[in-house]
Amino acid sequence: MHFSKLYPCLLAKVAKKGRTRAELNQAIYWFTGYSPEMLDQLAQNSVSYGDFFRAAPCLNPCRELITGVICGVRVEDVGEPLMREIRRLDKLVDELARGKSMEKILRRTAD
């Protein structure tokens, strides 16, 4: 599946709950390290969802703090690394759609 096909679905999910494209993009930037320009380009190209994650400039180390259940599966229990990253991003999008604050969505470690 191409990222360009999935991105509109992610956007529709958050938009129907009153969240914005900017908020979705902020979560994706935080997770992957893609710049806004890179994300715009990827949303229009035919890069696979797997390659979207594999080519991410800088996966945020705090993404490992993402836990919980998405689609009936515990994110932290997913064994295959790529699928775990996909589920983690799904979890962020789900939290955004449920109205969670950006401060809580964009996890931080205690400094």
Side-chain angles (χ1 to χ4, degrees):
M1 180 70 84
H2 293 138
F3 178 71
S4 62
K5 301 279 187 205
L6 292 170
Y7 181 77
C9 297
L10 299 175
L11 182 57
K13 181 176 184 174
V14 300
K16 111 175 132 174
K17 299 292 187 165
R19 301 306 286 260
T20 66
R21 175 187 297 262
E23 289 171 312
L24 172 62
N25 289 351
Q26 183 182 2
I28 294 172
Y29 305 150
W30 175 87
F31 192 95
T32 63
Y34 283 116
S35 70
E37 297 79 20
M38 294 167 82
L39 188 60
D40 287 343
Q41 184 179 10
L42 290 167
Q44 297 178 28
N45 290 334
S46 59
V47 64
S48 74
Y49 207 36
D51 287 343
F52 170 80
F53 286 98
R54 284 187 282 273
C58 182
L59 291 173
N60 192 317
C62 292
R63 77 192 188 288
E64 295 179 6
L65 300 173
I66 301 168
T67 60
V69 177
I70 188 75
C71 300
V73 177
R74 279 214 152 271
V75 173
E76 58 272 26
D77 293 342
V78 176
E80 202 276 309
L82 176 60
M83 186 54 69
R84 189 171 41 250
E85 300 304 344
I86 291 169
R87 295 291 187 178
R88 284 176 176 156
L89 185 58
D90 285 346
K91 183 70 175 166
L92 286 186
V93 172
D94 191 54
E95 290 174 352
L96 183 62
R98 287 188 292 128
K100 202 170 191 181
S101 72
M102 288 304 290
E103 291 76 30
K104 289 184 179 179
I105 292 170
L106 307 181
R107 288 134 171 104
R108 309 267 195 270
T109 58
D111 295 316

